[in-house]
Amino acid sequence: MSLVLNRIHLGGVVVKKKVTVLGCGLVGSVMALDLAADEAYEVTVCDASLENISRTRAKARGPLAIRTDVDFASPGSITEAVKGQDLVIGAVPGFLGYAMLGAVIRAGVNMSDISFMGEDYREWDSEAKKAGVTTFEDVGVAPGASSILIGYACTQLDRVEDVTYSVTGLPTKPEPPFNYKLVFSPDDLIEEYVRPARTKRDGKIVTVPALSGCRIMKFDIPGIPLPEMEGFFTDGCRTLLDTIPSPNVTEYTLRYPGTARDMTLLREIGLFDTEPVDVKGVKVAPRDLFGALAYPKMKLGEEENEFTFFHVEVTGEKDGKRLQYTYTLYDEKDPSTGFPSMSRTTGFPCVIVGRLLAEGVLKMPGVNPPEAVGKNPEAVRRLLEELKKRGVRIASSVKEL
């Protein structure tokens, strides 16, 4: 499944590219398995959970080394673990992502990363450039694949008017009270409901509460069986707010109706807070309590199906004509591998961009947002091609308005 054989023959000996995957959760495991199936790579996956990495290694279609001794809370531990590698794939929880990025840069290794950090990762840009390191951040599904396509569409227009996109990952058969199943990091899910959301309107960045702007959204797309959903603001626009030439940028997170109301209630009573409170003499972080009670009920069952969907519209002008570029992704759980669609659609873009880094197709020293990949037409073509090989299809169209 390699893009090209990343091997050097020295006296008849095949030298493989060395890659370390940091994190072996729902998405990290899929990326580790994708790389391990390719004889061009020598893969090591790191995670504190022996259960996670042992289960992943048992599914591997090629050699997969495992490590449980790397402390993701210790930048020094990460730096030592990845020194001498050709590539790092980042898949740690968002709250660990910023320090992890710095640790990888100090090791002098290129990285493709999905960690959904709250900090501005571009603060590491100058250090990465000094080290000659290239990293791409937020390379998941949205932000990620959607951002890459938005970046590409913007390069095709003389003037960009508006970028609007919607994204979700949901069970096909919702069950109350959550009508949701965990398909990525639980902590990052809660961050979506807590972290203030930024949008761009008439050239100005506007900050609004997460879960606000809620409205019912219906998508009538031939061949895609979509339910009625509600859309609301989360902080998914990220770097698109200042890296693309559009005066209007809006992202909607989609959920089954009622989610914004319910999650707002839980947030406002404090159940998503991380500061410990005193409960009958015992210090408890409300979010930890919520997680202990709710996360087991939100776990995706082995036999449960789910889908991932995004719809992107980039509107602007080319040669005096008003055009709209549209991209639509719809994917369901892969019954042959058991990989959830969110793990596939998040992990595959990240690992494909990593492969393009290893090949030298992407050479952009510094810390880059995913939309920067869109400036490279060959990289965009290869991304779509490799996603298709893995069963993930993105429909695209351009129409005159």
Side-chain angles (χ1 to χ4, degrees):
M1 195 179 282
S2 64
L3 296 169
V4 296
L5 290 180
N6 288 299
R7 296 178 293 179
I8 302 173
H9 293 264
L10 298 175
V13 177
V14 175
V15 180
K16 299 183 177 183
K17 292 284 188 179
K18 297 179 180 179
V19 54
T20 291
V21 180
L22 297 174
C24 193
L26 290 168
V27 182
S29 60
V30 170
M31 295 193 288
L33 291 171
D34 185 273
L35 288 162
D38 189 336
E39 62 178 4
Y41 294 94
E42 180 181 309
V43 186
T44 300
V45 60
C46 306
D47 198 279
S49 171
L50 181 60
E51 178 184 358
N52 280 1
I53 57 177
S54 296
R55 183 171 58 244
T56 299
R57 183 162 65 173
K59 295 179 180 178
R61 291 186 289 135
L64 180 62
I66 61 174
R67 292 186 61 174
T68 59
D69 62 327
V70 182
D71 182 1
F72 293 160
S74 167
S77 179
I78 293 172
T79 298
E80 287 302 312
V82 303
K83 274 184 179 177
Q85 297 293 289
D86 297 298
L87 176 70
V88 170
I89 300 293
V92 303
F95 71 93
L96 296 170
Y98 186 79
M100 179 270 290
L101 171 58
V104 172
I105 291 170
R106 284 191 288 273
V109 185
N110 294 339
M111 178 169 67
S112 183
D113 183 23
I114 61 166
S115 305
F116 190 66
M117 64 193 78
E119 302 90 344
D120 186 346
Y121 50 72
R122 292 172 294 181
E123 292 173 357
W124 288 110
D125 184 61
S126 60
E127 188 164 337
K129 286 176 177 173
K130 289 177 184 177
V133 168
T134 298
T135 82
F136 285 93
E137 303 300 311
D138 279 349
V139 195
V141 58
S146 61
S147 312
I148 293 171
L149 296 172
I150 288 168
Y152 173 74
C154 288
T155 68
Q156 303 303 298
L157 295 166
D158 298 327
R159 182 175 63 86
V160 184
E161 297 175 8
D162 182 85
V163 173
T164 299
Y165 62 104
S166 306
V167 61
T168 193
L170 289 171
T172 54
K173 295 181 180 179
E175 296 179 359
F178 298 108
N179 294 321
Y180 185 83
K181 294 292 181 177
L182 289 170
V183 286
F184 60 98
S185 166
D187 289 326
D188 287 351
L189 170 69
I190 300 305
E191 278 299 306
E192 283 194 344
Y193 300 153
V194 172
R195 193 180 297 170
R198 294 166 296 163
T199 63
K200 193 174 184 182
R201 302 170 187 168
D202 298 324
K204 296 181 180 179
I205 296 175
V206 179
T207 300
V208 298
L211 301 167
S212 64
C214 186
R215 63 189 184 94
I216 294 295
M217 302 181 75
K218 298 179 181 180
F219 297 87
D220 185 15
I221 301 174
I224 300 180
L226 290 169
E228 181 177 271
M229 295 175 281
E230 67 180 18
F232 49 78
F233 299 137
T234 60
D235 197 36
C237 293
R238 310 281 277 173
T239 50
L240 288 170
L241 295 169
D242 57 42
T243 59
I244 60 171
S246 178
N248 300 290
V249 183
T250 306
E251 186 242 28
Y252 289 99
T253 291
L254 304 173
R255 293 289 186 265
Y256 286 110
T259 298
R261 176 200 62 215
D262 295 344
M263 294 302 105
T264 299
L265 173 63
L266 295 176
R267 183 187 67 195
E268 294 307 305
I269 64 176
L271 274 176
F272 295 160
D273 292 350
T274 56
E275 189 69 28
V277 297
D278 187 280
V279 182
K280 297 183 177 180
V282 178
K283 292 290 186 180
V284 180
R287 190 181 296 190
D288 290 343
L289 175 61
F290 174 80
L293 295 173
Y295 294 165
K297 295 180 175 65
M298 299 167 72
K299 186 177 180 180
L300 184 70
E302 291 288 335
E303 303 302 318
E304 289 185 277
N305 192 15
E306 44 76 60
F307 70 92
T308 301
F309 167 76
F310 73 53
H311 185 70
V312 173
E313 294 179 347
V314 180
T315 306
E317 188 177 280
K318 177 71 173 180
D319 296 331
K321 297 179 181 179
R322 195 159 177 262
L323 302 177
Q324 186 174 82
Y325 281 73
T326 300
Y327 301 97
T328 302
L329 175 149
Y330 181 86
D331 187 67
E332 293 188 8
K333 185 177 183 179
D334 185 344
S336 64
T337 63
F339 294 161
S341 67
M342 182 59 76
S343 298
R344 287 159 44 82
T345 57
T346 301
F348 290 157
C350 184
V351 84
I352 292 167
V353 167
R355 289 166 178 268
L356 292 171
L357 271 171
E359 280 189 46
V361 173
L362 290 170
K363 295 179 181 178
M364 300 175 65
V367 177
N368 300 284
E371 54 270 21
V373 177
K375 297 177 181 179
N376 185 324
E378 174 63 9
V380 175
R381 184 188 70 79
R382 298 278 286 277
L383 172 71
L384 295 174
E385 180 182 89
E386 291 297 317
L387 285 174
K388 187 176 180 180
K389 287 181 182 178
R390 292 159 174 80
V392 177
R393 291 172 172 78
I394 299 177
S396 62
S397 66
V398 183
K399 65 179 180 181
E400 186 173 350
L401 301 177

